[in-house]
Amino acid sequence: MTVADAAWAKTIVGTPTNLYMADVCDTGSSDLSGPSDVWPYTAAIEAHCSILEALETARPLYPEFYAAHHDRYATQLAQLIDNLEYYRGQLTLSSYANRQVWHPFAVPRAQNRGRADVTGILNVYDDQMWLARELIRAYFLTGTDSYLAEATSLTDYVLDGWDCWRDGDGQEYGGITWGPGYNSKHACSNAPIIQPLVWLHAIYRDSDEEYILHYRDNEGVRQQEKLGRSVAYLDWARKIYAWQKEKLLVTSGSDRGVYADMMGAAAGIQYVTEGRVQYRAHVDTGDKTGTAYPYNSGTMLAGAAELYTVTGEDLYLADLRDLAASCYTRFATTQRGGAKFVEFTNNDATAENGFMTWFIDVLLRAFIDAEPYVDTNRPQLALEGHLANLDNAFDNYNRGGLLPIHLTKGWGTEVKTKGFHQFTFASEYAMLANRLLQQEAKETPISAPKAIDMDARTDIFTPGGRKVTHDTLRNARHKLPKGLY
């Protein structure tokens, strides 16, 4: 909370209805750069969701602490989500089998609400995925239906980017391109939506809402099919997971067992004309390539954990155990002075020229998701090691609550930081605190409850207006996504 408050005070600029996050700030002065892009802005939303989750876990243990802080972060979360409108735009998009009007979020912030330019490469699918994830978390925490509606719309938008043309064997080429203006297919434009898809599958389980699937049949003819949202979203989660595992899992060399960055392709969107309408054509991609970043493995690790939670299939359990081991070896151990330390490797030279701080965050939260299912102590070591390094930075290097990106080495000669990184650290601290609070709650005796009128209860989360009692949750916990109810 101290880090989040410092980041808010230093980098959040404007009024409640017209605020933005500065991209870069000087730790020793009031110097700020212009508004951040939407992806870094999402980290501020993530941090507030993580803090609110930890506060909810702390509520029965420390009710006065909860009461003192909850409303402030809930209010700020609502303001952050409301001001996403400065990134929103509108476009009519011709995808592989569909033509539709969408309202996605642009990379850069516009001057006016709803007027952002989202054409071409100015919107990318991975940004919508990160936002969908945090909007679902915000929905779990607040019950605000508009957050769920927005997350659902963004999810449908990114699924529309799936390459549904078929190869000579009648199989879909598959994969979601980096954005509607790109032909390359990236790990970051596929795996991040798996976990939100599983959450949506659970949310819509009892709903009769329909999802329209647009696809190409074996003859290349456009088709569409109506499916229940819950069924459709689980099918998509499985399909995207399988595609990324097949196409981007590294099977040899120093990166064996983790995920490559992307599959490159020729520039220039290709089209086919059918009647008076143009649709995207398939463009061949190359083989897997690029740096193996921790977040691209983290999203697959979290996806495997969620898929195993709802399906119980051994395939996902085996995958997540193998991937957790590979991630620990590749990203979470360093050699220093002849001894091994648990430390996520951040090789960014300065805060201004890299994104590794947030890439590590994605892997960290995946280790938290995978921890209950892994039969070694590697997730525990990684999580506790990272917490120790955060504590080291906070105890020795914090500047008014702001932390250096190199947690064990300090600031060096750096004087600048990003709100992106500071909200990332706040989210990590909150997630790790939530993990410890959950352990504490299990060890704390709870007195027998008094008889109460369940219909009069106001502190039980009711998704979609349906009453969810504690008995219901106890009997159906494995059917629900991780979250607060």
Side-chain angles (χ1 to χ4, degrees), residues 105-310:
F105 294 99
V107 173
R109 187 182 189 273
Q111 291 294 318
N112 298 295
R113 288 172 173 255
R115 301 298 298 274
D117 186 350
V118 291
T119 58
I121 63 172
L122 291 178
N123 91 87
V124 288
Y125 289 129
D126 56 326
D127 286 357
Q128 325 303 319
M129 295 179 184
W130 306 123
L131 283 169
R133 181 185 191 273
E134 298 312 317
L135 286 166
I136 296 171
R137 295 177 75 203
Y139 169 68
F140 287 152
L141 288 158
T142 68
T144 304
D145 289 336
S146 61
Y147 298 165
L148 174 61
E150 185 63 62
T152 301
S153 177
L154 292 177
T155 299
D156 292 351
Y157 174 64
V158 301
L159 296 177
D160 192 58
W162 176 265
D163 184 353
C164 60
W165 285 96
R166 297 177 183 267
D167 61 21
D169 296 324
Q171 301 298 313
E172 287 184 328
Y173 286 103
I176 299 170
T177 57
W178 193 13
Y182 295 91
N183 288 318
S184 53
K185 297 173 181 177
H186 295 237
C188 72
S189 60
N190 285 273
I193 200 61
I194 297 170
Q195 188 175 53
L197 281 166
V198 178
W199 290 346
L200 291 173
H201 155 72
I203 290 170
Y204 284 105
R205 188 186 299 276
D206 298 325
S207 170
D208 58 2
E209 285 195 35
E210 292 182 329
Y211 169 84
I212 300 177
L213 174 67
H214 297 272
Y215 66 98
R216 297 270 176 178
D217 64 19
N218 288 334
E219 283 71 47
V221 178
R222 288 181 297 108
Q223 303 288 353
Q224 67 179 46
E225 180 181 357
K226 291 183 177 180
L227 302 167
R229 285 197 178 277
S230 181
V231 171
Y233 289 144
L234 184 58
D235 287 347
W236 271 114
R238 290 176 179 273
K239 184 158 66 170
I240 294 170
Y241 181 92
W243 180 88
Q244 182 148 323
K245 180 181 175 182
E246 177 187 354
K247 300 296 185 180
L248 292 173
L249 181 64
V250 180
T251 56
S252 62
S254 60
D255 291 332
R256 183 179 183 275
V258 297
Y259 283 83
D261 188 42
M262 61 176 288
M263 299 167 69
I269 306 301
Q270 303 298 311
Y271 292 96
V272 296
T273 301
E274 299 176 359
R276 296 182 177 181
V277 180
Q278 287 188 321
Y279 296 92
R280 280 195 73 168
H282 167 74
V283 174
D284 286 337
T285 60
D287 198 1
K288 63 177 91 56
T289 188
T291 302
Y293 293 112
Y295 77 144
N296 289 329
S297 295
T299 50
M300 284 295 282
L301 181 58
E306 295 295 343
L307 283 166
Y308 179 69
T309 299
V310 299

Side-chain angles (χ1 to χ4, degrees), residues 311-334:
T311 69
E313 295 178 12
D314 290 341
L315 163 69
Y316 300 119
L317 179 62
D319 282 357
L320 75 88
R321 287 177 172 175
D322 288 344
L323 184 54
S326 297
C327 286
Y328 181 83
T329 300
R330 176 64 178 79
F331 304 120
T333 57
T334 58

